[in-house]
Amino acid sequence: MFIDTHCHIDMSKEIDVNQYIQNAYLANVKGLIFSFCNQDCYRAGIKFLEKYSDVFVSLGFHPEDADIITDKDLECLDEVLVSSSRIVAIGEIGLDYYWRKDNKEKQRDLFQKQLDLAVKYQMPVVIHCRDAIQELYDILSQYKGKVKGVIHCFSGSYEMALRFIELGFVLGIGGVLTFKNSKLYQVVEKIPLSSIVLETDSPYLTPEPHRGETNESKYIPLIAAKIAQIKCIDVSEVAQTTTDNARRVFDLPI
Ligand SMILES: [Zn+2]
C-alpha cells in the first residue's frame, strides 16, 4: 500500500470527498493525510475528521496568512491539536518569500510559534518553503533534536537535502518529479529511500501524464513508479519503504 502524506480538500470545491477517498483506495493508496492550513483550519479539520473516519489531518497556519493569524488563532490551534489521535502533524507551516518579502518577520514569528507547539506536543511538522531555504534551515537548526517532520515539496539541491536529513527530516516527493523540466531526479537519485515520503499536494502539481488535470491521491503510484525508475529498484520496494517512513514520521496506526 501507499500513503499520500500531503493532500488538500478544502481548496477544490468540485471534489466529492467520498469518491476521492474511494479512488485512492482502489489505487492502493490507503493512508491519506489531509492538510488544513488556512485561518479556519482548526474548525475545518475537526469537522472533516468527524465526517470521514479513515483519514488523518495536519493542522497549521501557512506563511501566506502571516498577516491575519492572531494570537487567538494560535490559542485555538494549541487547544485543538491534541483533541484527536488522527491529527498527526502541524502543517503546513514555514516561510514563503516568493509571494511576500515585506512581512518576513511576521512569517518567522508565526513559524517559530508553531515549532514551539510541535515541541510542546511532540508532534511532527510539515514544512512549506519557497525562496527561503537557507533561512528555513537556520531556524530548524535551532530545533535540532526537538522537531522532526517533512520538508514538503522539496525543491532544493542534493547538498541541502542532506542537511535537512541530518536535522532529522524526510523529504516529501510529489508530481514535480515526473515533470520533463524538473531537476529533482538528481536529488532523488542520490538520497536514501529511507528519507522519502510520497505526497500529491492535490489538487495541485498533478503528475505526468495527467498534468493539467486536477490532482488526486490516486496518482501516488505514478510518483512511486518514477522513483523506482530513477533508483533502478522495484516499485514494491518504493511502496514498502515510503509507507514505513510515513508511519514512522507521523506515528500512524495503520
Ligand atoms: Zn500543500
Side-chain angles (χ1 to χ4, degrees):
M1 66 173 260
F2 299 98
I3 294 177
D4 184 355
T5 61
H6 190 118
C7 46
H8 300 268
I9 213 75
D10 52 334
M11 300 172 190
S12 182
K13 290 182 182 67
E14 77 270 24
I15 286 181
D16 173 340
V17 179
N18 283 314
Q19 187 68 52
Y20 180 101
I21 294 170
Q22 199 190 338
N23 291 347
Y25 266 61
L26 289 173
N28 204 23
V29 183
K30 292 181 174 164
L32 300 171
I33 302 176
F34 289 92
S35 173
F36 291 88
C37 53
N38 61 11
Q39 196 179 25
D40 291 326
C41 72
Y42 39 89
R43 279 183 281 270
I46 293 296
K47 243 171 53 196
F48 191 77
L49 285 178
E50 283 165 2
K51 222 166 150 193
Y52 305 99
S53 53
D54 292 325
V55 297
F56 302 95
V57 304
S58 66
L59 304 181
F61 298 121
H62 196 283
E64 278 178 27
D65 282 354
D67 282 342
I68 58 168
I69 299 302
T70 62
D71 286 344
K72 177 92 183 98
D73 289 322
L74 283 160
E75 277 168 35
C76 289
L77 181 68
D78 186 331
E79 277 168 29
V80 131
L81 280 174
V82 285
S83 66
S84 163
S85 60
R86 287 190 288 128
I87 302 170
V88 294
I90 301 176
E92 53 194 280
I93 62 174
L95 303 172
D96 193 323
Y97 296 167
Y98 178 81
W99 292 110
R100 292 286 298 274
K101 288 180 180 55
D102 57 323
N103 66 347
K104 289 183 178 179
E105 203 157 319
K106 274 189 178 154
Q107 289 194 37
R108 280 194 293 262
D109 185 56
L110 178 63
F111 183 35
Q112 286 183 310
K113 281 176 175 159
Q114 293 181 97
L115 288 171
D116 292 339
L117 285 177
V119 174
K120 180 176 172 183
Y121 295 122
Q122 291 286 289
M123 288 178 86
V125 292
V126 178
I127 302 290
H128 169 99
C129 178
R130 237 178 139 186
D131 287 0
I133 199 155
Q134 184 58 48
E135 202 166 328
L136 178 91
Y137 178 80
D138 293 342
I139 293 174
L140 289 181
S141 301
Q142 295 163 22
Y143 289 83
K144 188 175 182 183
K146 290 187 271 185
V147 174
K148 62 173 186 171
V150 178
I151 309 294
H152 148 61
C153 199
F154 181 78
S155 62
S157 65
Y158 171 62
E159 289 68 29
M160 213 62 209
L162 287 185
R163 294 173 76 186
F164 283 112
I165 291 168
E166 214 250 320
L167 283 185
F169 282 79
V170 298
L171 311 183
I173 301 295
V176 171
L177 184 65
T178 69
F179 296 173
K180 281 184 188 71
N181 55 352
S182 168
K183 299 266 185 287
L184 191 56
Y185 71 90
Q186 295 169 347
V187 175
V188 168
E189 198 166 48
K190 290 192 271 183
I191 57 167
L193 196 56
S194 59
S195 296
I196 294 175
V197 293
L198 304 179
E199 61 174 38
T200 56
D201 204 17
S202 77
Y204 314 110
L205 302 174
T206 315
E208 293 286 5
H210 298 284
R211 200 173 174 183
E213 298 167 27
T214 301
N215 202 1
E216 284 195 38
S217 296
K218 68 179 179 184
Y219 292 142
I220 279 283
L222 295 171
I223 300 158
K226 189 71 188 177
I227 294 173
Q229 185 201 332
I230 290 167
K231 287 188 154 316
C232 299
I233 54 176
D234 200 87
V235 73
S236 63
E237 190 182 341
V238 177
Q240 178 71 52
T241 305
T242 58
T243 295
D244 286 347
N245 298 342
R247 284 186 180 122
R248 183 181 74 239
V249 172
F250 294 104
D251 201 15
L252 300 177
I254 52 166

PDB file of all heavy atoms in Angstrom, residues 24-49:
ATOM      1  N   ALA A  24      -8.685   6.668  -4.263  1.00  0.00           N
ATOM      2  CA  ALA A  24      -7.354   6.438  -3.686  1.00  0.00           C
ATOM      3  C   ALA A  24      -7.210   4.980  -3.253  1.00  0.00           C
ATOM      4  O   ALA A  24      -6.230   4.316  -3.572  1.00  0.00           O
ATOM      5  CB  ALA A  24      -7.131   7.383  -2.505  1.00  0.00           C
ATOM      6  N   TYR A  25      -8.216   4.473  -2.545  1.00  0.00           N
ATOM      7  CA  TYR A  25      -8.173   3.077  -2.071  1.00  0.00           C
ATOM      8  C   TYR A  25      -8.024   2.105  -3.230  1.00  0.00           C
ATOM      9  O   TYR A  25      -7.263   1.145  -3.160  1.00  0.00           O
ATOM     10  CB  TYR A  25      -9.436   2.764  -1.255  1.00  0.00           C
ATOM     11  CG  TYR A  25      -9.239   2.976   0.221  1.00  0.00           C
ATOM     12  CD1 TYR A  25      -8.914   4.241   0.712  1.00  0.00           C
ATOM     13  CD2 TYR A  25      -9.351   1.932   1.133  1.00  0.00           C
ATOM     14  CE1 TYR A  25      -8.712   4.460   2.057  1.00  0.00           C
ATOM     15  CE2 TYR A  25      -9.143   2.138   2.490  1.00  0.00           C
ATOM     16  CZ  TYR A  25      -8.824   3.395   2.949  1.00  0.00           C
ATOM     17  OH  TYR A  25      -8.613   3.604   4.284  1.00  0.00           O
ATOM     18  N   LEU A  26      -8.776   2.364  -4.304  1.00  0.00           N
ATOM     19  CA  LEU A  26      -8.706   1.476  -5.473  1.00  0.00           C
ATOM     20  C   LEU A  26      -7.322   1.479  -6.099  1.00  0.00           C
ATOM     21  O   LEU A  26      -6.909   0.516  -6.752  1.00  0.00           O
ATOM     22  CB  LEU A  26      -9.764   1.888  -6.517  1.00  0.00           C
ATOM     23  CG  LEU A  26     -11.213   1.583  -6.130  1.00  0.00           C
ATOM     24  CD1 LEU A  26     -12.174   2.183  -7.151  1.00  0.00           C
ATOM     25  CD2 LEU A  26     -11.445   0.077  -6.001  1.00  0.00           C
ATOM     26  N   ALA A  27      -6.584   2.575  -5.894  1.00  0.00           N
ATOM     27  CA  ALA A  27      -5.221   2.669  -6.424  1.00  0.00           C
ATOM     28  C   ALA A  27      -4.187   2.213  -5.387  1.00  0.00           C
ATOM     29  O   ALA A  27      -2.993   2.447  -5.550  1.00  0.00           O
ATOM     30  CB  ALA A  27      -4.934   4.106  -6.866  1.00  0.00           C
ATOM     31  N   ASN A  28      -4.683   1.579  -4.305  1.00  0.00           N
ATOM     32  CA  ASN A  28      -3.814   1.075  -3.234  1.00  0.00           C
ATOM     33  C   ASN A  28      -3.179   2.197  -2.404  1.00  0.00           C
ATOM     34  O   ASN A  28      -2.161   1.988  -1.752  1.00  0.00           O
ATOM     35  CB  ASN A  28      -2.736   0.140  -3.807  1.00  0.00           C
ATOM     36  CG  ASN A  28      -2.216  -0.817  -2.751  1.00  0.00           C
ATOM     37  OD1 ASN A  28      -2.891  -1.096  -1.760  1.00  0.00           O
ATOM     38  ND2 ASN A  28      -0.998  -1.305  -2.941  1.00  0.00           N
ATOM     39  N   VAL A  29      -3.771   3.381  -2.458  1.00  0.00           N
ATOM     40  CA  VAL A  29      -3.313   4.493  -1.607  1.00  0.00           C
ATOM     41  C   VAL A  29      -4.242   4.500  -0.387  1.00  0.00           C
ATOM     42  O   VAL A  29      -5.332   5.065  -0.418  1.00  0.00           O
ATOM     43  CB  VAL A  29      -3.354   5.840  -2.360  1.00  0.00           C
ATOM     44  CG1 VAL A  29      -2.796   6.966  -1.489  1.00  0.00           C
ATOM     45  CG2 VAL A  29      -2.582   5.739  -3.669  1.00  0.00           C
ATOM     46  N   LYS A  30      -3.797   3.838   0.667  1.00  0.00           N
ATOM     47  CA  LYS A  30      -4.712   3.538   1.775  1.00  0.00           C
ATOM     48  C   LYS A  30      -4.453   4.353   3.031  1.00  0.00           C
ATOM     49  O   LYS A  30      -5.076   4.142   4.061  1.00  0.00           O
ATOM     50  CB  LYS A  30      -4.669   2.043   2.078  1.00  0.00           C
ATOM     51  CG  LYS A  30      -5.274   1.255   0.927  1.00  0.00           C
ATOM     52  CD  LYS A  30      -5.282  -0.229   1.155  1.00  0.00           C
ATOM     53  CE  LYS A  30      -6.044  -0.907   0.008  1.00  0.00           C
ATOM     54  NZ  LYS A  30      -5.796  -2.338  -0.062  1.00  0.00           N
ATOM     55  N   GLY A  31      -3.517   5.263   2.939  1.00  0.00           N
ATOM     56  CA  GLY A  31      -3.309   6.200   4.027  1.00  0.00           C
ATOM     57  C   GLY A  31      -3.317   7.607   3.452  1.00  0.00           C
ATOM     58  O   GLY A  31      -2.631   7.882   2.468  1.00  0.00           O
ATOM     59  N   LEU A  32      -4.144   8.484   4.025  1.00  0.00           N
ATOM     60  CA  LEU A  32      -4.277   9.847   3.489  1.00  0.00           C
ATOM     61  C   LEU A  32      -4.141  10.859   4.624  1.00  0.00           C
ATOM     62  O   LEU A  32      -4.827  10.748   5.642  1.00  0.00           O
ATOM     63  CB  LEU A  32      -5.648  10.031   2.825  1.00  0.00           C
ATOM     64  CG  LEU A  32      -5.979   9.112   1.646  1.00  0.00           C
ATOM     65  CD1 LEU A  32      -7.456   9.275   1.262  1.00  0.00           C
ATOM     66  CD2 LEU A  32      -5.107   9.420   0.445  1.00  0.00           C
ATOM     67  N   ILE A  33      -3.253  11.819   4.431  1.00  0.00           N
ATOM     68  CA  ILE A  33      -3.139  12.920   5.400  1.00  0.00           C
ATOM     69  C   ILE A  33      -3.550  14.209   4.701  1.00  0.00           C
ATOM     70  O   ILE A  33      -2.880  14.666   3.767  1.00  0.00           O
ATOM     71  CB  ILE A  33      -1.707  13.054   5.954  1.00  0.00           C
ATOM     72  CG1 ILE A  33      -1.272  11.739   6.618  1.00  0.00           C
ATOM     73  CG2 ILE A  33      -1.634  14.210   6.961  1.00  0.00           C
ATOM     74  CD1 ILE A  33       0.172  11.741   7.121  1.00  0.00           C
ATOM     75  N   PHE A  34      -4.668  14.758   5.131  1.00  0.00           N
ATOM     76  CA  PHE A  34      -5.187  15.990   4.533  1.00  0.00           C
ATOM     77  C   PHE A  34      -4.648  17.191   5.306  1.00  0.00           C
ATOM     78  O   PHE A  34      -4.686  17.216   6.538  1.00  0.00           O
ATOM     79  CB  PHE A  34      -6.716  16.003   4.561  1.00  0.00           C
ATOM     80  CG  PHE A  34      -7.327  15.018   3.603  1.00  0.00           C
ATOM     81  CD1 PHE A  34      -7.654  13.734   4.018  1.00  0.00           C
ATOM     82  CD2 PHE A  34      -7.561  15.368   2.286  1.00  0.00           C
ATOM     83  CE1 PHE A  34      -8.206  12.811   3.133  1.00  0.00           C
ATOM     84  CE2 PHE A  34      -8.104  14.464   1.394  1.00  0.00           C
ATOM     85  CZ  PHE A  34      -8.429  13.181   1.820  1.00  0.00           C
ATOM     86  N   SER A  35      -4.175  18.168   4.556  1.00  0.00           N
ATOM     87  CA  SER A  35      -3.594  19.358   5.163  1.00  0.00           C
ATOM     88  C   SER A  35      -4.632  20.484   5.216  1.00  0.00           C
ATOM     89  O   SER A  35      -5.235  20.834   4.199  1.00  0.00           O
ATOM     90  CB  SER A  35      -2.392  19.792   4.314  1.00  0.00           C
ATOM     91  OG  SER A  35      -1.898  21.021   4.776  1.00  0.00           O
ATOM     92  N   PHE A  36      -4.838  21.020   6.411  1.00  0.00           N
ATOM     93  CA  PHE A  36      -5.699  22.200   6.580  1.00  0.00           C
ATOM     94  C   PHE A  36      -4.831  23.309   7.139  1.00  0.00           C
ATOM     95  O   PHE A  36      -4.331  23.201   8.260  1.00  0.00           O
ATOM     96  CB  PHE A  36      -6.848  21.886   7.538  1.00  0.00           C
ATOM     97  CG  PHE A  36      -7.862  20.918   6.979  1.00  0.00           C
ATOM     98  CD1 PHE A  36      -7.682  19.555   7.125  1.00  0.00           C
ATOM     99  CD2 PHE A  36      -8.966  21.377   6.282  1.00  0.00           C
ATOM    100  CE1 PHE A  36      -8.597  18.654   6.596  1.00  0.00           C
ATOM    101  CE2 PHE A  36      -9.895  20.493   5.747  1.00  0.00           C
ATOM    102  CZ  PHE A  36      -9.719  19.131   5.900  1.00  0.00           C
ATOM    103  N   CYS A  37      -4.658  24.377   6.372  1.00  0.00           N
ATOM    104  CA  CYS A  37      -3.637  25.343   6.803  1.00  0.00           C
ATOM    105  C   CYS A  37      -4.038  26.801   6.569  1.00  0.00           C
ATOM    106  O   CYS A  37      -3.181  27.654   6.404  1.00  0.00           O
ATOM    107  CB  CYS A  37      -2.304  25.033   6.137  1.00  0.00           C
ATOM    108  SG  CYS A  37      -2.390  24.907   4.345  1.00  0.00           S
ATOM    109  N   ASN A  38      -5.354  27.078   6.548  1.00  0.00           N
ATOM    110  CA  ASN A  38      -5.759  28.481   6.485  1.00  0.00           C
ATOM    111  C   ASN A  38      -6.282  28.916   7.858  1.00  0.00           C
ATOM    112  O   ASN A  38      -6.193  28.167   8.825  1.00  0.00           O
ATOM    113  CB  ASN A  38      -6.801  28.710   5.387  1.00  0.00           C
ATOM    114  CG  ASN A  38      -8.069  27.914   5.639  1.00  0.00           C
ATOM    115  OD1 ASN A  38      -8.266  27.354   6.722  1.00  0.00           O
ATOM    116  ND2 ASN A  38      -8.931  27.861   4.655  1.00  0.00           N
ATOM    117  N   GLN A  39      -6.822  30.114   7.930  1.00  0.00           N
ATOM    118  CA  GLN A  39      -7.216  30.640   9.240  1.00  0.00           C
ATOM    119  C   GLN A  39      -8.281  29.778   9.933  1.00  0.00           C
ATOM    120  O   GLN A  39      -8.327  29.708  11.151  1.00  0.00           O
ATOM    121  CB  GLN A  39      -7.710  32.082   9.100  1.00  0.00           C
ATOM    122  CG  GLN A  39      -7.750  32.794  10.440  1.00  0.00           C
ATOM    123  CD  GLN A  39      -8.216  34.223  10.317  1.00  0.00           C
ATOM    124  OE1 GLN A  39      -8.918  34.567   9.376  1.00  0.00           O
ATOM    125  NE2 GLN A  39      -7.817  35.050  11.263  1.00  0.00           N
ATOM    126  N   ASP A  40      -9.120  29.122   9.160  1.00  0.00           N
ATOM    127  CA  ASP A  40     -10.182  28.302   9.750  1.00  0.00           C
ATOM    128  C   ASP A  40      -9.782  26.843   9.892  1.00  0.00           C
ATOM    129  O   ASP A  40     -10.636  25.985  10.094  1.00  0.00           O
ATOM    130  CB  ASP A  40     -11.448  28.389   8.887  1.00  0.00           C
ATOM    131  CG  ASP A  40     -12.073  29.760   8.964  1.00  0.00           C
ATOM    132  OD1 ASP A  40     -11.990  30.366  10.046  1.00  0.00           O
ATOM    133  OD2 ASP A  40     -12.623  30.215   7.954  1.00  0.00           O
ATOM    134  N   CYS A  41      -8.488  26.557   9.788  1.00  0.00           N
ATOM    135  CA  CYS A  41      -8.043  25.156   9.731  1.00  0.00           C
ATOM    136  C   CYS A  41      -8.548  24.333  10.895  1.00  0.00           C
ATOM    137  O   CYS A  41      -8.955  23.194  10.720  1.00  0.00           O
ATOM    138  CB  CYS A  41      -6.528  25.080   9.634  1.00  0.00           C
ATOM    139  SG  CYS A  41      -5.702  25.514  11.162  1.00  0.00           S
ATOM    140  N   TYR A  42      -8.509  24.915  12.101  1.00  0.00           N
ATOM    141  CA  TYR A  42      -8.871  24.091  13.254  1.00  0.00           C
ATOM    142  C   TYR A  42     -10.339  23.686  13.226  1.00  0.00           C
ATOM    143  O   TYR A  42     -10.701  22.605  13.631  1.00  0.00           O
ATOM    144  CB  TYR A  42      -8.495  24.765  14.581  1.00  0.00           C
ATOM    145  CG  TYR A  42      -8.731  26.256  14.639  1.00  0.00           C
ATOM    146  CD1 TYR A  42      -9.952  26.767  15.047  1.00  0.00           C
ATOM    147  CD2 TYR A  42      -7.723  27.132  14.281  1.00  0.00           C
ATOM    148  CE1 TYR A  42     -10.159  28.127  15.111  1.00  0.00           C
ATOM    149  CE2 TYR A  42      -7.928  28.501  14.336  1.00  0.00           C
ATOM    150  CZ  TYR A  42      -9.155  28.994  14.744  1.00  0.00           C
ATOM    151  OH  TYR A  42      -9.367  30.344  14.794  1.00  0.00           O
ATOM    152  N   ARG A  43     -11.175  24.594  12.685  1.00  0.00           N
ATOM    153  CA  ARG A  43     -12.589  24.232  12.559  1.00  0.00           C
ATOM    154  C   ARG A  43     -12.799  23.242  11.414  1.00  0.00           C
ATOM    155  O   ARG A  43     -13.440  22.212  11.575  1.00  0.00           O
ATOM    156  CB  ARG A  43     -13.436  25.480  12.316  1.00  0.00           C
ATOM    157  CG  ARG A  43     -13.747  26.236  13.597  1.00  0.00           C
ATOM    158  CD  ARG A  43     -14.656  27.420  13.321  1.00  0.00           C
ATOM    159  NE  ARG A  43     -13.901  28.547  12.767  1.00  0.00           N
ATOM    160  CZ  ARG A  43     -13.337  29.500  13.526  1.00  0.00           C
ATOM    161  NH1 ARG A  43     -13.479  29.462  14.831  1.00  0.00           N
ATOM    162  NH2 ARG A  43     -12.675  30.482  12.976  1.00  0.00           N
ATOM    163  N   ALA A  44     -12.221  23.557  10.256  1.00  0.00           N
ATOM    164  CA  ALA A  44     -12.407  22.720   9.059  1.00  0.00           C
ATOM    165  C   ALA A  44     -11.853  21.312   9.283  1.00  0.00           C
ATOM    166  O   ALA A  44     -12.488  20.320   8.924  1.00  0.00           O
ATOM    167  CB  ALA A  44     -11.728  23.365   7.862  1.00  0.00           C
ATOM    168  N   GLY A  45     -10.671  21.249   9.907  1.00  0.00           N
ATOM    169  CA  GLY A  45     -10.025  19.952  10.126  1.00  0.00           C
ATOM    170  C   GLY A  45     -10.836  19.062  11.055  1.00  0.00           C
ATOM    171  O   GLY A  45     -11.018  17.872  10.797  1.00  0.00           O
ATOM    172  N   ILE A  46     -11.353  19.646  12.126  1.00  0.00           N
ATOM    173  CA  ILE A  46     -12.143  18.867  13.089  1.00  0.00           C
ATOM    174  C   ILE A  46     -13.437  18.379  12.450  1.00  0.00           C
ATOM    175  O   ILE A  46     -13.824  17.216  12.597  1.00  0.00           O
ATOM    176  CB  ILE A  46     -12.466  19.730  14.349  1.00  0.00           C
ATOM    177  CG1 ILE A  46     -11.181  20.033  15.111  1.00  0.00           C
ATOM    178  CG2 ILE A  46     -13.484  19.053  15.237  1.00  0.00           C
ATOM    179  CD1 ILE A  46     -10.474  18.829  15.680  1.00  0.00           C
ATOM    180  N   LYS A  47     -14.078  19.274  11.702  1.00  0.00           N
ATOM    181  CA  LYS A  47     -15.318  18.878  11.014  1.00  0.00           C
ATOM    182  C   LYS A  47     -15.043  17.722  10.050  1.00  0.00           C
ATOM    183  O   LYS A  47     -15.821  16.776   9.935  1.00  0.00           O
ATOM    184  CB  LYS A  47     -15.878  20.087  10.232  1.00  0.00           C
ATOM    185  CG  LYS A  47     -17.238  20.478  10.766  1.00  0.00           C
ATOM    186  CD  LYS A  47     -17.829  21.743  10.273  1.00  0.00           C
ATOM    187  CE  LYS A  47     -17.990  22.076   8.853  1.00  0.00           C
ATOM    188  NZ  LYS A  47     -18.252  23.511   8.656  1.00  0.00           N
ATOM    189  N   PHE A  48     -13.927  17.822   9.375  1.00  0.00           N
ATOM    190  CA  PHE A  48     -13.538  16.803   8.406  1.00  0.00           C
ATOM    191  C   PHE A  48     -13.329  15.452   9.097  1.00  0.00           C
ATOM    192  O   PHE A  48     -13.804  14.410   8.620  1.00  0.00           O
ATOM    193  CB  PHE A  48     -12.249  17.255   7.716  1.00  0.00           C
ATOM    194  CG  PHE A  48     -11.869  16.440   6.522  1.00  0.00           C
ATOM    195  CD1 PHE A  48     -12.524  16.613   5.315  1.00  0.00           C
ATOM    196  CD2 PHE A  48     -10.857  15.506   6.604  1.00  0.00           C
ATOM    197  CE1 PHE A  48     -12.172  15.860   4.205  1.00  0.00           C
ATOM    198  CE2 PHE A  48     -10.501  14.749   5.501  1.00  0.00           C
ATOM    199  CZ  PHE A  48     -11.154  14.930   4.301  1.00  0.00           C
ATOM    200  N   LEU A  49     -12.659  15.452  10.233  1.00  0.00           N
ATOM    201  CA  LEU A  49     -12.404  14.201  10.959  1.00  0.00           C
ATOM    202  C   LEU A  49     -13.703  13.568  11.457  1.00  0.00           C
ATOM    203  O   LEU A  49     -13.827  12.350  11.504  1.00  0.00           O
ATOM    204  CB  LEU A  49     -11.482  14.466  12.158  1.00  0.00           C
ATOM    205  CG  LEU A  49     -10.014  14.705  11.851  1.00  0.00           C
ATOM    206  CD1 LEU A  49      -9.250  14.995  13.130  1.00  0.00           C
ATOM    207  CD2 LEU A  49      -9.394  13.513  11.130  1.00  0.00           C
TER     208      LEU A  49
END
